[in-house]
């Protein structure tokens, strides 16, 4: 499923990866294998999977946001031509979290539909972006997130739903909850790009509480300001986040069980 409208991909890859124990390369290049056949295993850098998903859904212009020191990412991806994509890079100078990384693209994407994909998350739903874009086109929503179940709610943003696929609230990493679905990707219109830009205006220091600002915090603020935020189901299976030690350990355990079955 592809979109008839131009869409630009935005991939935040400027994190410090401090929880990953000093990898000798950027975590976005961590090699993973998702093949069910042990005879044809071929590990690939995890960022390739979100690139594949974007290209498959007609998103072939992509900005990757990096920071100083993560030169292995542009060195590996290049201009994107070998992936049948056009990839450009934006430099991030404020290490305060994903919202600031995304806002780095404001001057380049403020008048376009944006598809947000995370470079260390495996979604496993080939039409995920297309489903979100179709929902946005049909409803005119300002933000559409992909929705799927999770088996680790305390490590992700959970979705509190209202009527008509509308999101009432993003609940960030709850210690206990009856909510069942999370989100791993999103699409949004220029309305939210502008909202994000204004929300962050003047925030040149880390949050005073010491808590890193999350993109879900900004989504919640957008809901409070009256923006239309919706969720569309993209899979019946949980996504896998290998960008944390716990997520990587769960992925490795799942792979071992699958290949030994």
């Amino acid at each position: 499923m592809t979109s008839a409208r131009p869409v630009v991909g935005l991939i935040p890859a400027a994190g410090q990866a401090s929880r990953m124990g000093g990898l000798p390369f950027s975590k976005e290049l961590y090699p993973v294998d998702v093949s069910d056949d042990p005879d044809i295993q071929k590990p690939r850098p995890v960022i390739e999977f979100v690139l594949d998903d974007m290209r498959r859904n007609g998103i072939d212009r992509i900005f990757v946001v990096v920071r100083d020191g993560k030169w292995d990412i542009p060195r590996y991806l290049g201009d994107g031509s070998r992936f049948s994509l056009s990839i450009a890079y934006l430099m991030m100078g404020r290490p305060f979290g994903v919202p600031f990384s995304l806002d780095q693209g404001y001057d380049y994407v403020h008048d376009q539909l944006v598809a947000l994909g995370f470079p260390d998350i495996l979604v496993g739903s080939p039409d995920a972006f297309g489903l979100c874009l179709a929902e946005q086109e049909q409803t005119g929503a300002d933000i559409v997130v992909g929705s799927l179940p999770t088996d680790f709610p305390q490590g992700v943003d959970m979705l509190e739903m209202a009527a008509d696929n509308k999101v009432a609230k993003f609940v960030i990493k709850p210690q206990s909850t009856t909510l069942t679905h999370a989100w791993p990707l999103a699409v949004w219109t220029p309305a939210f790009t502008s909202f994000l830009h204004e929300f962050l205006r003047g925030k040149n220091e880390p949050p005073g509480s010491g808590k890193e600002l999350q993109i879900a915090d900004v989504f919640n603020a957008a809901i409070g300001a009256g923006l239309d935020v919706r969720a569309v189901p993209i899979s019946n299976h949980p996504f896998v986040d290998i960008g944390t030690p716990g997520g990587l350990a769960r992925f490795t355990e799942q792979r071992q069980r699958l290949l030994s079955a």
Side-chain angles (χ1 to χ4, degrees):
M1 184 182 300
T2 60
S3 173
R5 301 162 295 165
V7 186
V8 60
L10 197 53
I11 299 177
Q16 303 282 346
S18 57
R19 293 175 292 178
M20 295 299 286
L23 288 174
F25 48 83
S26 295
K27 67 175 182 177
E28 294 82 3
L29 299 182
Y30 196 95
V32 298
D33 169 58
V34 297
S35 170
D36 294 341
D37 187 341
D39 294 328
I40 58 172
Q41 291 182 55
K42 185 180 180 182
R44 301 167 63 199
V46 64
I47 194 173
E48 285 194 28
F49 291 90
V50 69
L51 295 176
D52 286 349
D53 290 344
M54 286 184 171
R55 183 187 64 248
R56 190 181 296 114
N57 289 276
I59 305 164
D60 57 9
R61 296 182 303 119
I62 297 170
F63 287 103
V64 179
V65 186
V66 297
R67 62 170 175 82
D68 186 25
K70 300 189 78 167
W71 308 121
D72 52 350
I73 295 176
R75 187 180 306 119
Y76 178 75
L77 298 179
D79 64 359
S81 57
R82 67 190 178 95
F83 303 99
S84 299
L85 297 168
S86 176
I87 298 178
Y89 302 89
L90 299 170
M91 287 300 301
M92 183 63 215
R94 297 179 294 169
F96 306 150
V98 169
F100 295 90
S101 293
L102 297 174
D103 187 53
Q104 201 73 4
Y106 176 78
D107 289 338
Y108 304 91
V109 306
H110 67 275
D111 58 350
Q112 301 174 67
L113 281 170
V114 170
L116 164 65
F118 292 100
D120 49 8
I121 287 180
L122 301 170
V123 176
S125 175
D127 294 330
F129 285 108
L131 291 169
C132 290
L133 288 166
E135 176 76 4
Q136 193 286 318
E137 185 169 24
Q138 180 179 351
T139 65
D142 300 301
I143 304 167
V144 178
V145 299
S147 168
L148 36 62
T150 181
D151 53 4
F152 189 59
Q154 62 267 38
V156 296
D157 305 333
M158 304 300 292
L159 300 174
E160 182 179 314
M161 300 299 298
D164 300 326
N165 288 340
K166 290 195 174 185
V167 180
K169 185 179 181 180
F170 291 79
V171 182
I172 301 172
K173 298 180 180 178
Q175 289 306 300
S176 70
T177 183
T178 59
L179 301 174
T180 59
H181 283 63
W183 71 280
L185 52 83
V187 301
W188 61 68
T189 69
F192 178 70
T193 301
S194 295
F195 181 89
L196 171 65
H197 189 64
E198 292 302 316
F199 185 87
L200 297 178
R201 187 182 294 275
K203 290 183 171 63
N204 294 317
E205 299 293 335
S209 66
K211 174 181 176 293
E212 183 177 291
L213 185 71
Q214 306 291 319
I215 189 60
D217 291 316
V218 189
F219 286 164
N220 281 333
I223 292 171
L227 271 67
D228 186 355
V229 182
R230 298 177 183 245
V232 60
I234 58 172
S235 176
N236 293 322
H237 304 286
F239 66 87
V240 178
D241 178 2
I242 73 151
T244 65
L248 180 58
R250 285 190 297 277
F251 172 76
T252 302
E253 182 181 350
Q254 291 168 6
R255 293 293 301 152
Q256 289 175 340
R257 286 202 305 265
L258 175 64
L259 295 176
S260 62

